[in-house]
Amino acid sequence: MRIKKSFTFICLILVLALLGSYFFFADTPEKASYADFIGNVEKGSVSSVSFTEDKINFELNDGTKFVTQNPSSPDLAERLLLSGVEVKYEKNLDEIIALIFDIVFYLIFFGIIFVAFRKFISPNTFKVVRHTKVHFSDIAGMDDLKRHMIQIASLMRNPKEAAGRGIRLPKGILLEGDPGNGKTLFARALAEEAGVNFIPAKATDFESMFMAIGPMKVKLLFKKARKAAPCIVFIDEFDGIGTKRNYSGSAIETENTRIVTAMLNELDGFEPHSGVLVLAATNSRQALDEALIRPGRFDAKYTVPYPDSKTRLELINMYSKDKTFGSACRPETLVGKFNGFSAAKIESVLNRAAMIAGQKNAFEISMEDITAAIEEM
């Protein structure tokens, strides 16, 4: 916004300077009648004539300048030229001012467009994270998924060894699951364990009020990923940009089709060992375009499930380290009450229960506090 204001202020200063210089430096000729003008022409005393829309500026051989009315005679210019008089056509002040304001308008218009494009397609749109500081040990349970992720991390750490064994690193991995169960956490842990760069993105990063900005951002993201390789590109809310293409002709569907097409082109442009892995998280695999998630683009598809009883017990112990519970609130008891809860919901319930206990000035969290917190969720 500050750039826009400065640019507009500079344009206004330039307009005022142009207008001021026009009035200050312009010569003010003497007025003469049209009859005097024609008389001087007939005597051969006129050296040059300049026509504007409503005036005739003429200069005599001695350098004296005059101005008279322009009757818009159709054969006057030809007559002057036949008499050897230099003839010019000039714009009047109103036309000059209109032209200046047109130029200023286009400067401001294209300046705003330039600033908008810089804002929506800034090189800093997607930041490269060198260390996520998250490890698989920070994730409770989900041993099967961890085993798969540990193998992927090993392949990324030792690409030559993998290639020697005939193993190709997947171009893409799709993580499906309901919100709050740790898809983002797994992505960050994979990048840290593999020792590679991490570029997080989400569907809203590709949305814009301008058409064609989304596909350009896709190209920017993957261009940055190639430069930062080895690298993991994590796209959260993938179903927000990778939905099935619909050729209805609406602006929204057209933009979505372009984004999906750009994504397909980028995934197909990967070399087998480019060192770039796309990790996408979605809540609805069924909504995604089949061409986008086919084998060869997203080779591996894993489900991040709701925590089982063993995982819920680990989560309760993890989130209860700084909390004090009453005798009735044993972790084994809470495991049953939290059946069907996501990892994020378990943490929220325990935190809210601690707040409810604090409102009563109670040092320990009771089962009543846990029940009240669950009812609020």
mmCIF file of all heavy atoms in Angstrom, residues 182-211:
data_model
loop_
_atom_site.group_PDB
_atom_site.id
_atom_site.type_symbol
_atom_site.label_atom_id
_atom_site.label_comp_id
_atom_site.label_asym_id
_atom_site.label_seq_id
_atom_site.Cartn_x
_atom_site.Cartn_y
_atom_site.Cartn_z
ATOM 1 N N GLY A 182 -2.421 -35.847 12.086
ATOM 2 C CA GLY A 182 -0.968 -35.780 11.998
ATOM 3 C C GLY A 182 -0.378 -35.852 10.609
ATOM 4 O O GLY A 182 0.807 -36.203 10.470
ATOM 5 N N LYS A 183 -1.134 -35.521 9.565
ATOM 6 C CA LYS A 183 -0.575 -35.580 8.206
ATOM 7 C C LYS A 183 0.569 -34.569 8.055
ATOM 8 O O LYS A 183 1.632 -34.892 7.510
ATOM 9 C CB LYS A 183 -1.675 -35.289 7.171
ATOM 10 C CG LYS A 183 -2.791 -36.339 7.155
ATOM 11 C CD LYS A 183 -3.753 -36.129 6.018
ATOM 12 C CE LYS A 183 -4.576 -34.869 6.156
ATOM 13 N NZ LYS A 183 -5.479 -34.908 7.315
ATOM 14 N N THR A 184 0.360 -33.354 8.534
ATOM 15 C CA THR A 184 1.413 -32.330 8.453
ATOM 16 C C THR A 184 2.615 -32.720 9.302
ATOM 17 O O THR A 184 3.770 -32.520 8.901
ATOM 18 C CB THR A 184 0.858 -30.971 8.915
ATOM 19 O OG1 THR A 184 -0.258 -30.606 8.092
ATOM 20 C CG2 THR A 184 1.928 -29.893 8.819
ATOM 21 N N LEU A 185 2.349 -33.301 10.462
ATOM 22 C CA LEU A 185 3.431 -33.724 11.354
ATOM 23 C C LEU A 185 4.292 -34.799 10.696
ATOM 24 O O LEU A 185 5.527 -34.770 10.789
ATOM 25 C CB LEU A 185 2.842 -34.237 12.668
ATOM 26 C CG LEU A 185 3.763 -34.232 13.897
ATOM 27 C CD1 LEU A 185 4.192 -32.811 14.239
ATOM 28 C CD2 LEU A 185 3.067 -34.882 15.083
ATOM 29 N N PHE A 186 3.659 -35.736 10.011
ATOM 30 C CA PHE A 186 4.404 -36.779 9.300
ATOM 31 C C PHE A 186 5.282 -36.171 8.204
ATOM 32 O O PHE A 186 6.427 -36.595 7.997
ATOM 33 C CB PHE A 186 3.438 -37.795 8.690
ATOM 34 C CG PHE A 186 3.234 -39.011 9.542
ATOM 35 C CD1 PHE A 186 2.024 -39.240 10.181
ATOM 36 C CD2 PHE A 186 4.262 -39.928 9.719
ATOM 37 C CE1 PHE A 186 1.832 -40.360 10.971
ATOM 38 C CE2 PHE A 186 4.087 -41.054 10.518
ATOM 39 C CZ PHE A 186 2.864 -41.270 11.147
ATOM 40 N N ALA A 187 4.740 -35.193 7.482
ATOM 41 C CA ALA A 187 5.506 -34.557 6.399
ATOM 42 C C ALA A 187 6.741 -33.855 6.947
ATOM 43 O O ALA A 187 7.845 -33.978 6.390
ATOM 44 C CB ALA A 187 4.609 -33.559 5.656
ATOM 45 N N ARG A 188 6.570 -33.119 8.038
ATOM 46 C CA ARG A 188 7.698 -32.410 8.620
ATOM 47 C C ARG A 188 8.730 -33.386 9.194
ATOM 48 O O ARG A 188 9.941 -33.157 9.090
ATOM 49 C CB ARG A 188 7.195 -31.459 9.713
ATOM 50 C CG ARG A 188 6.257 -30.368 9.187
ATOM 51 C CD ARG A 188 5.721 -29.494 10.312
ATOM 52 N NE ARG A 188 6.770 -28.654 10.868
ATOM 53 C CZ ARG A 188 7.107 -27.472 10.376
ATOM 54 N NH1 ARG A 188 6.493 -26.980 9.320
ATOM 55 N NH2 ARG A 188 8.062 -26.760 10.942
ATOM 56 N N ALA A 189 8.241 -34.466 9.798
ATOM 57 C CA ALA A 189 9.164 -35.457 10.357
ATOM 58 C C ALA A 189 9.945 -36.162 9.255
ATOM 59 O O ALA A 189 11.149 -36.425 9.396
ATOM 60 C CB ALA A 189 8.386 -36.483 11.182
ATOM 61 N N LEU A 190 9.289 -36.440 8.129
ATOM 62 C CA LEU A 190 9.969 -37.101 7.015
ATOM 63 C C LEU A 190 11.109 -36.235 6.483
ATOM 64 O O LEU A 190 12.209 -36.735 6.209
ATOM 65 C CB LEU A 190 8.968 -37.397 5.897
ATOM 66 C CG LEU A 190 9.545 -38.024 4.619
ATOM 67 C CD1 LEU A 190 10.222 -39.360 4.924
ATOM 68 C CD2 LEU A 190 8.451 -38.199 3.571
ATOM 69 N N ALA A 191 10.866 -34.936 6.346
ATOM 70 C CA ALA A 191 11.906 -34.030 5.855
ATOM 71 C C ALA A 191 13.088 -33.980 6.814
ATOM 72 O O ALA A 191 14.257 -33.987 6.386
ATOM 73 C CB ALA A 191 11.328 -32.634 5.653
ATOM 74 N N GLU A 192 12.817 -33.934 8.108
ATOM 75 C CA GLU A 192 13.893 -33.864 9.102
ATOM 76 C C GLU A 192 14.688 -35.165 9.140
ATOM 77 O O GLU A 192 15.926 -35.159 9.179
ATOM 78 C CB GLU A 192 13.311 -33.554 10.478
ATOM 79 C CG GLU A 192 14.342 -33.340 11.569
ATOM 80 C CD GLU A 192 15.149 -32.057 11.378
ATOM 81 O OE1 GLU A 192 14.648 -31.122 10.715
ATOM 82 O OE2 GLU A 192 16.279 -32.001 11.898
ATOM 83 N N GLU A 193 13.975 -36.298 9.120
ATOM 84 C CA GLU A 193 14.663 -37.590 9.189
ATOM 85 C C GLU A 193 15.458 -37.866 7.911
ATOM 86 O O GLU A 193 16.523 -38.500 7.960
ATOM 87 C CB GLU A 193 13.638 -38.706 9.403
ATOM 88 C CG GLU A 193 12.903 -38.642 10.741
ATOM 89 C CD GLU A 193 13.762 -39.114 11.897
ATOM 90 O OE1 GLU A 193 14.881 -39.602 11.652
ATOM 91 O OE2 GLU A 193 13.315 -38.992 13.054
ATOM 92 N N ALA A 194 14.963 -37.374 6.770
ATOM 93 C CA ALA A 194 15.679 -37.577 5.512
ATOM 94 C C ALA A 194 16.818 -36.587 5.343
ATOM 95 O O ALA A 194 17.685 -36.777 4.474
ATOM 96 C CB ALA A 194 14.710 -37.455 4.332
ATOM 97 N N GLY A 195 16.821 -35.520 6.141
ATOM 98 C CA GLY A 195 17.880 -34.513 6.051
ATOM 99 C C GLY A 195 17.796 -33.675 4.795
ATOM 100 O O GLY A 195 18.829 -33.308 4.216
ATOM 101 N N VAL A 196 16.564 -33.374 4.348
ATOM 102 C CA VAL A 196 16.375 -32.593 3.120
ATOM 103 C C VAL A 196 15.595 -31.319 3.436
ATOM 104 O O VAL A 196 15.014 -31.166 4.515
ATOM 105 C CB VAL A 196 15.633 -33.419 2.048
ATOM 106 C CG1 VAL A 196 16.423 -34.658 1.686
ATOM 107 C CG2 VAL A 196 14.227 -33.790 2.510
ATOM 108 N N ASN A 197 15.578 -30.415 2.471
ATOM 109 C CA ASN A 197 14.811 -29.180 2.616
ATOM 110 C C ASN A 197 13.322 -29.464 2.555
ATOM 111 O O ASN A 197 12.884 -30.488 2.004
ATOM 112 C CB ASN A 197 15.195 -28.179 1.519
ATOM 113 C CG ASN A 197 16.624 -27.706 1.658
ATOM 114 O OD1 ASN A 197 17.098 -27.442 2.762
ATOM 115 N ND2 ASN A 197 17.344 -27.601 0.545
ATOM 116 N N PHE A 198 12.545 -28.520 3.082
ATOM 117 C CA PHE A 198 11.099 -28.705 3.199
ATOM 118 C C PHE A 198 10.404 -27.419 2.761
ATOM 119 O O PHE A 198 10.728 -26.332 3.254
ATOM 120 C CB PHE A 198 10.748 -29.032 4.655
ATOM 121 C CG PHE A 198 9.286 -29.290 4.907
ATOM 122 C CD1 PHE A 198 8.690 -30.454 4.468
ATOM 123 C CD2 PHE A 198 8.514 -28.365 5.598
ATOM 124 C CE1 PHE A 198 7.350 -30.711 4.713
ATOM 125 C CE2 PHE A 198 7.177 -28.599 5.853
ATOM 126 C CZ PHE A 198 6.588 -29.779 5.412
ATOM 127 N N ILE A 199 9.497 -27.533 1.789
ATOM 128 C CA ILE A 199 8.739 -26.367 1.317
ATOM 129 C C ILE A 199 7.256 -26.630 1.573
ATOM 130 O O ILE A 199 6.634 -27.435 0.871
ATOM 131 C CB ILE A 199 8.968 -26.097 -0.177
ATOM 132 C CG1 ILE A 199 10.455 -25.906 -0.472
ATOM 133 C CG2 ILE A 199 8.182 -24.868 -0.627
ATOM 134 C CD1 ILE A 199 10.767 -25.634 -1.937
ATOM 135 N N PRO A 200 6.673 -25.978 2.580
ATOM 136 C CA PRO A 200 5.245 -26.191 2.849
ATOM 137 C C PRO A 200 4.373 -25.270 2.003
ATOM 138 O O PRO A 200 4.712 -24.122 1.733
ATOM 139 C CB PRO A 200 5.134 -25.827 4.342
ATOM 140 C CG PRO A 200 6.218 -24.802 4.559
ATOM 141 C CD PRO A 200 7.326 -25.135 3.598
ATOM 142 N N ALA A 201 3.256 -25.787 1.555
ATOM 143 C CA ALA A 201 2.279 -24.998 0.804
ATOM 144 C C ALA A 201 0.896 -25.536 1.125
ATOM 145 O O ALA A 201 0.747 -26.650 1.634
ATOM 146 C CB ALA A 201 2.553 -25.080 -0.700
ATOM 147 N N LYS A 202 -0.108 -24.734 0.848
ATOM 148 C CA LYS A 202 -1.494 -25.167 1.034
ATOM 149 C C LYS A 202 -2.329 -24.653 -0.125
ATOM 150 O O LYS A 202 -1.899 -23.785 -0.887
ATOM 151 C CB LYS A 202 -2.043 -24.661 2.375
ATOM 152 C CG LYS A 202 -1.918 -23.182 2.600
ATOM 153 C CD LYS A 202 -2.351 -22.823 4.011
ATOM 154 C CE LYS A 202 -2.244 -21.317 4.269
ATOM 155 N NZ LYS A 202 -0.843 -20.833 4.175
ATOM 156 N N ALA A 203 -3.519 -25.211 -0.261
ATOM 157 C CA ALA A 203 -4.353 -24.898 -1.422
ATOM 158 C C ALA A 203 -4.613 -23.407 -1.566
ATOM 159 O O ALA A 203 -4.607 -22.869 -2.676
ATOM 160 C CB ALA A 203 -5.675 -25.661 -1.323
ATOM 161 N N THR A 204 -4.800 -22.710 -0.450
ATOM 162 C CA THR A 204 -5.110 -21.281 -0.523
ATOM 163 C C THR A 204 -3.953 -20.458 -1.079
ATOM 164 O O THR A 204 -4.160 -19.339 -1.545
ATOM 165 C CB THR A 204 -5.499 -20.745 0.865
ATOM 166 O OG1 THR A 204 -4.482 -21.108 1.814
ATOM 167 C CG2 THR A 204 -6.826 -21.339 1.326
ATOM 168 N N ASP A 205 -2.734 -20.998 -1.052
ATOM 169 C CA ASP A 205 -1.588 -20.270 -1.616
ATOM 170 C C ASP A 205 -1.711 -20.108 -3.124
ATOM 171 O O ASP A 205 -1.068 -19.227 -3.707
ATOM 172 C CB ASP A 205 -0.280 -21.002 -1.300
ATOM 173 C CG ASP A 205 0.070 -20.962 0.174
ATOM 174 O OD1 ASP A 205 -0.350 -20.012 0.845
ATOM 175 O OD2 ASP A 205 0.751 -21.887 0.654
ATOM 176 N N PHE A 206 -2.525 -20.947 -3.762
ATOM 177 C CA PHE A 206 -2.647 -20.905 -5.219
ATOM 178 C C PHE A 206 -3.889 -20.138 -5.673
ATOM 179 O O PHE A 206 -4.098 -19.964 -6.868
ATOM 180 C CB PHE A 206 -2.689 -22.326 -5.780
ATOM 181 C CG PHE A 206 -1.473 -23.139 -5.439
ATOM 182 C CD1 PHE A 206 -1.446 -23.926 -4.299
ATOM 183 C CD2 PHE A 206 -0.347 -23.094 -6.230
ATOM 184 C CE1 PHE A 206 -0.326 -24.670 -3.963
ATOM 185 C CE2 PHE A 206 0.784 -23.833 -5.910
ATOM 186 C CZ PHE A 206 0.798 -24.617 -4.772
ATOM 187 N N GLU A 207 -4.694 -19.691 -4.716
ATOM 188 C CA GLU A 207 -5.893 -18.938 -5.062
ATOM 189 C C GLU A 207 -5.537 -17.474 -5.302
ATOM 190 O O GLU A 207 -4.650 -16.922 -4.659
ATOM 191 C CB GLU A 207 -6.930 -19.046 -3.948
ATOM 192 C CG GLU A 207 -7.448 -20.469 -3.745
ATOM 193 C CD GLU A 207 -8.394 -20.552 -2.561
ATOM 194 O OE1 GLU A 207 -8.579 -19.522 -1.873
ATOM 195 O OE2 GLU A 207 -8.960 -21.638 -2.327
ATOM 196 N N SER A 208 -6.252 -16.840 -6.236
ATOM 197 C CA SER A 208 -5.986 -15.447 -6.559
ATOM 198 C C SER A 208 -7.202 -14.841 -7.225
ATOM 199 O O SER A 208 -8.018 -15.535 -7.842
ATOM 200 C CB SER A 208 -4.766 -15.330 -7.480
ATOM 201 O OG SER A 208 -4.624 -14.006 -7.939
ATOM 202 N N MET A 209 -7.337 -13.509 -7.096
ATOM 203 C CA MET A 209 -8.417 -12.795 -7.761
ATOM 204 C C MET A 209 -8.123 -12.639 -9.259
ATOM 205 O O MET A 209 -9.005 -12.266 -10.030
ATOM 206 C CB MET A 209 -8.593 -11.413 -7.122
ATOM 207 C CG MET A 209 -7.375 -10.519 -7.218
ATOM 208 S SD MET A 209 -7.570 -8.971 -6.308
ATOM 209 C CE MET A 209 -8.849 -8.182 -7.283
ATOM 210 N N PHE A 210 -6.882 -12.920 -9.669
ATOM 211 C CA PHE A 210 -6.495 -12.810 -11.071
ATOM 212 C C PHE A 210 -6.414 -14.199 -11.687
ATOM 213 O O PHE A 210 -5.863 -15.131 -11.097
ATOM 214 C CB PHE A 210 -5.141 -12.109 -11.222
ATOM 215 C CG PHE A 210 -5.144 -10.687 -10.747
ATOM 216 C CD1 PHE A 210 -4.570 -10.351 -9.530
ATOM 217 C CD2 PHE A 210 -5.720 -9.687 -11.501
ATOM 218 C CE1 PHE A 210 -4.569 -9.045 -9.087
ATOM 219 C CE2 PHE A 210 -5.725 -8.381 -11.065
ATOM 220 C CZ PHE A 210 -5.149 -8.057 -9.857
ATOM 221 N N MET A 211 -6.940 -14.324 -12.900
ATOM 222 C CA MET A 211 -6.842 -15.576 -13.636
ATOM 223 C C MET A 211 -5.385 -15.857 -13.994
ATOM 224 O O MET A 211 -4.603 -14.940 -14.199
ATOM 225 C CB MET A 211 -7.689 -15.504 -14.912
ATOM 226 C CG MET A 211 -9.188 -15.454 -14.666
ATOM 227 S SD MET A 211 -9.822 -17.028 -14.041
ATOM 228 C CE MET A 211 -9.710 -18.029 -15.508
#
